[in-house]
């Protein structure tokens, strides 16, 4: 945790980073980033595809995946390689279908020579090891597919130290370093438990770079929104690029159909989410919910879209808080835990639960009576509204101080970043500038929200006043009725 601050009787943590395991929120993995870091661009002058792509396309023909009826072809585009329409394509038209026998997934691993030794592994580790092994084999079914895969993308896990220095102060930097450390630890464990004890299955050296390659392929190219699949790489389908113009993720289906002249199989079916003219590129939406930092980490690009700017506030109930057990019980009863993460996006309202959780963490002093068991079933409702002036003032001050501290950690200002964006930047610097400027804008927005709340402290209605009104002991203007007023 990056910043620690005391709240009332306990303490909370407002962190600039979040623990980032292999799977992010929502789907386990998402469609890939192809051969370049750019996002969407026009096709421009058509260029012949590399020989490896021609060979890959011929393999797809031999496998019966593409034919004269296939409405798309692989083409050189601004992003690298993409799918170009050979004819006008209507919205929801089927663009491609790939039979399950060509999918790379845990089932493919289980059916392979390394299936037994990989049976106890996490699915992604087994598939990563399978990818590395198959890439080294001349007789692999997917050998022509591996020749078109990139050695790396512009994902921040591949950046040099100098390139990462442009992310100074960002949550993306700390997340990237955490991911790299996680991947390294998983590789060391895999090397010790599986690779070295089974040299007959892995007769060639497997390096950490190999493992990062496989991790990046899975992180950027796998699909996860199929009915019976949580982790699957699908050759041909993963050539399709991302566009911000696509506002739906409903494009991939698992169906059962003809997979050859005399065979039936499960098919991965991809439909175009937009109408496309002949000669234009077919696009999908990789993930509507991801922030620019997540796009940069997973795929190696960022959108010039303010809606993608986000910052994660991490709050924690401290174990040193004398009311720790009560607060934790209340948090867990309402879907939270000892630590809670809140993703705040630019120009959107604060996420549900943030203010109640803040007020809970700050609760203490004369407000601590709300933690008694008598209020256990109703306290969250009370926390949805201001509890007391002291409580509300404290959360405003602490959040604003944390925002100022975070903003001080960047080495550029928003204005300096804007000037840089007006110049021609290489792809990785452009990502860094987009992400760090976006984070700063969100932090300024958070600070402004709580600054306005500070101005309203004297006009707010707090718990005691609401309670007295409920009992008929307080007037509409907040005046306490009768002799009771002398006690307040």
């Amino acid at each position: 945790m990056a910043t620690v601050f005391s709240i009332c009787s306990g303490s909370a943590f407002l962190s600039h980073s979040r623990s980032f395991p292999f799977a992010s929120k929502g789907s386990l993995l998402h469609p890939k980033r192809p051969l370049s870091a750019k996002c969407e661009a026009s096709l421009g002058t058509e260029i012949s595809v590399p020989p490896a792509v021609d060979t890959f396309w011929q393999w797809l023909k031999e496998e019966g995946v593409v034919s004269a009826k296939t409405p798309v072809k692989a083409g050189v585009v601004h992003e690298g390689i993409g799918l170009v329409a050979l004819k006008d394509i209507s919205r929801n038209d089927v663009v491609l279908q790939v039979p399950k026998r060509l999918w790379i997934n845990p089932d493919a691993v289980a059916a392979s020579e390394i299936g037994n030794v990989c049976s106890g592994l996490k699915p992604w580790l087994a598939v990563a090891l399978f990818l590395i092994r198959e890439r080294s084999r001349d007789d692999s079914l997917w050998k022509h597919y591996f020749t078109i895969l990139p050695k790396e993308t512009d994902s921040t896990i591949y950046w040099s130290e100098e390139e990462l220095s442009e992310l100074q102060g960002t949550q993306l930097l700390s997340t990237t370093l955490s991911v790299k450390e996680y991947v390294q630890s998983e590789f060391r464990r895999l090397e010790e438990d599986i690779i070295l004890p089974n040299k007959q299955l892995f007769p060639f050296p497997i390096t950490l770079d190999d493992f990062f390659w496989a991790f990046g392929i899975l992180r950027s190219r796998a699909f996860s929104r199929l009915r019976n699949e949580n982790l699957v790489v699908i050759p041909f389908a993963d050539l399709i690029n991302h566009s911000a113009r696509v506002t739906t993720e409903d494009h991939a289906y698992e169906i059962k159909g003809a997979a050859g002249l005399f065979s039936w199989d499960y098919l991965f079916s991809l439909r175009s989410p937009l109408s496309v003219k002949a000669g234009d590129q077919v696009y999908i939406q990789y993930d509507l919910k991801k922030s620019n930092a997540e796009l940069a980490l997973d795929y190696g690009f960022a959108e010039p879209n303010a809606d993608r700017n986000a910052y994660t506030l991490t709050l924690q109930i401290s174990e040193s808080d004398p009311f720790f057990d009560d607060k934790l019980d209340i948090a867990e009863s309402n879907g939270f835990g000892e630590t809670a993460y809140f993703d705040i996006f630019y120009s959107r309202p604060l996420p549900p639960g943030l203010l109640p959780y803040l007020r809970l963490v700050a609760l203490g002093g004369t407000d601590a009576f709300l933690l008694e068991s008598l209020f256990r079933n109703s306290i969250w409702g009370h926390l949805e509204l201001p509890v007391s002036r002291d409580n509300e003032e404290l959360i405003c001050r602490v959040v604003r101080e944390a925002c100022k501290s975070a903003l001080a950690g960047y080495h550029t200002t928003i204005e300096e970043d804007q000037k840089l964006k007006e110049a021609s930047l290489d792809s990785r610097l452009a990502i860094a500038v987009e992400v760090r400027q976006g984070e700063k804008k969100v932090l300024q927005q958070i600070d402004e929200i709580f600054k306005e709340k500070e101005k309203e402290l004297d006009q707010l209605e707090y718990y005691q006043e609401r309670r007295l009104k409920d009992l008929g002991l307080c007037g509409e203007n907040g005046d306490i009725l009768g002799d009771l007023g002398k006690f307040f």
Side-chain angles (χ1 to χ4, degrees):
M1 301 294 178
T3 304
V4 180
F5 58 86
S6 295
I7 286 191
C8 254
S9 56
S11 65
F13 296 79
L14 186 58
S15 171
H16 299 169
S17 66
R18 153 189 252 171
S19 169
F20 203 106
F22 181 74
S24 58
K25 295 183 308 174
S27 300
L28 176 65
L29 287 168
H30 303 273
K32 59 90 203 102
R33 187 68 202 149
L35 302 181
S36 170
K38 300 294 182 182
C39 192
E40 176 189 3
S42 59
L43 291 176
T45 304
E46 186 170 337
I47 303 172
S48 298
V49 297
V53 177
D54 275 333
T55 303
F56 169 68
W57 202 255
Q58 183 60 38
W59 172 68
L60 292 176
K61 288 181 180 179
E62 293 170 359
E63 293 292 338
V65 178
V66 300
S67 68
K69 295 181 179 180
T70 302
V72 293
K73 66 174 181 178
V76 176
V77 295
H78 189 67
E79 297 90 340
I81 300 295
L83 294 180
V84 180
L86 290 171
K87 63 178 184 178
D88 290 355
I89 296 174
S90 299
R91 182 175 176 271
N92 287 329
D93 278 358
V94 174
V95 174
L96 58 87
Q97 291 183 328
V98 182
K100 192 170 185 177
R101 60 187 169 81
L102 298 182
W103 301 359
I104 300 175
N105 62 1
D107 289 342
V109 181
S112 73
E113 292 178 341
I114 64 172
N116 287 336
V117 298
C118 292
S119 60
L121 295 176
K122 301 170 187 174
W124 83 265
L125 288 173
V127 177
L129 198 55
F130 181 78
L131 285 170
I132 295 169
R133 187 173 186 271
E134 289 298 307
R135 185 176 63 159
S136 71
R137 296 177 57 197
D138 292 333
D139 60 347
S140 171
L141 171 63
W142 297 276
K143 65 178 181 180
H144 298 305
Y145 171 61
F146 290 120
T147 62
I148 70 166
L149 292 178
K151 293 182 179 179
E152 64 179 42
T153 67
D154 276 341
S155 164
T156 52
I157 64 172
Y158 299 117
W159 289 19
S160 67
E161 288 188 14
E162 181 180 358
E163 289 166 336
L164 287 173
S165 68
E166 295 294 341
L167 295 173
Q168 178 183 322
T170 66
Q171 292 187 317
L172 177 56
L173 175 59
S174 52
T175 300
T176 299
L177 297 178
S178 295
V179 168
K180 292 182 71 170
E181 182 179 348
Y182 170 74
V183 173
Q184 289 169 5
S185 67
E186 289 291 334
F187 173 70
R188 299 305 177 203
R189 191 178 299 111
L190 195 65
E191 185 180 45
E192 181 179 347
D193 296 343
I194 304 295
I195 299 172
L196 294 180
N198 295 282
K199 288 193 174 182
Q200 74 282 7
L201 295 175
F202 307 100
F204 53 91
I206 296 179
T207 66
L208 180 59
D209 286 341
D210 293 328
F211 195 62
F212 264 104
W213 169 82
F215 176 84
I217 292 298
L218 289 177
R219 191 83 202 177
S220 64
R221 304 180 85 87
F223 289 85
S224 67
R225 297 189 183 93
L226 303 184
R227 185 174 64 252
N228 298 315
E229 295 289 335
N230 289 324
L231 173 60
V232 55
V233 176
I234 303 176
F236 181 25
D238 67 349
L239 293 182
I240 198 164
N241 287 315
H242 164 89
S243 171
R245 292 189 296 108
V246 180
T247 57
T248 175
E249 298 173 9
D250 187 23
H251 51 255
Y253 303 86
E254 181 182 331
I255 63 173
K256 194 166 187 178
L261 190 58
F262 303 106
S263 64
W264 287 71
D265 196 357
Y266 282 105
L267 304 172
F268 174 85
S269 181
L270 189 69
R271 299 173 184 269
S272 175
L274 299 175
S275 295
V276 180
K277 294 292 185 182
D280 290 342
Q281 190 176 171
V282 181
Y283 291 106
I284 61 173
Q285 168 62 237
Y286 285 1
D287 197 308
L288 288 167
K289 296 180 181 179
K290 282 188 181 293
S291 67
N292 265 333
E294 291 172 310
L295 293 177
L297 181 70
D298 288 351
Y299 310 122
F301 70 89
E303 288 183 3
N305 180 356
D307 291 341
R308 294 283 193 179
N309 296 334
Y311 197 90
T312 300
L313 293 186
T314 303
L315 305 175
Q316 187 174 44
I317 305 168
S318 172
E319 292 185 2
S320 64
D321 190 324
F323 303 108
F324 173 80
D325 291 334
D326 289 325
K327 290 183 178 181
L328 180 59
D329 181 47
I330 292 166
E332 291 178 340
S333 297
N334 291 277
F336 296 96
E338 179 180 347
T339 303
Y341 303 99
F342 298 94
D343 296 328
I344 301 177
F345 282 81
Y346 189 70
S347 295
R348 295 190 205 172
L350 294 177
L354 172 59
L355 289 175
Y357 195 94
L358 270 170
R359 290 170 182 138
L360 174 66
V361 173
L363 208 61
T366 58
D367 298 323
F369 71 93
L370 286 170
L371 297 171
E372 296 176 5
S373 57
L374 173 68
F375 296 94
R376 195 54 45 98
N377 294 328
S378 61
I379 184 172
W380 200 258
H382 296 311
L383 294 171
E384 293 279 1
L385 299 170
V387 174
S388 68
R389 195 186 194 286
D390 287 346
N391 182 275
E392 203 73 5
E393 184 177 20
L394 182 56
I395 67 172
C396 289
R397 184 176 74 249
V398 166
V399 171
R400 293 198 65 198
E401 288 174 354
C403 288
K404 288 181 174 64
S405 174
L407 285 165
Y410 300 94
H411 69 285
T412 58
T413 65
I414 289 177
E415 294 72 26
E416 289 169 340
D417 286 339
Q418 188 58 43
K419 286 184 179 179
L420 285 171
K421 288 171 68 174
E422 294 167 2
S424 178
L425 305 176
D426 71 70
S427 57
R428 294 187 177 181
L429 179 55
I431 292 169
V433 173
E434 192 70 51
V435 170
R436 74 193 187 204
Q437 185 190 51
E439 284 192 7
K440 284 177 278 194
K441 285 182 177 180
V442 178
L443 282 166
Q444 285 190 348
Q445 173 182 287
I446 298 169
D447 180 66
E448 189 61 32
I449 288 172
F450 284 87
K451 179 181 178 181
E452 291 302 310
K453 285 186 176 295
E454 282 182 329
K455 294 178 180 178
E456 299 169 355
L457 290 175
D458 291 332
Q459 286 75 50
L460 295 176
E461 184 177 76
Y462 299 106
Y463 170 79
Q464 292 288 8
E465 185 179 346
R466 294 194 299 273
R467 181 59 178 155
L468 290 173
K469 278 187 177 180
D470 290 342
L471 296 173
L473 300 174
C474 186
E476 289 300 321
N477 295 325
D479 300 325
I480 299 173
L481 303 179
D483 293 338
L484 196 61
K486 63 185 178 183
F487 296 105
F488 293 87

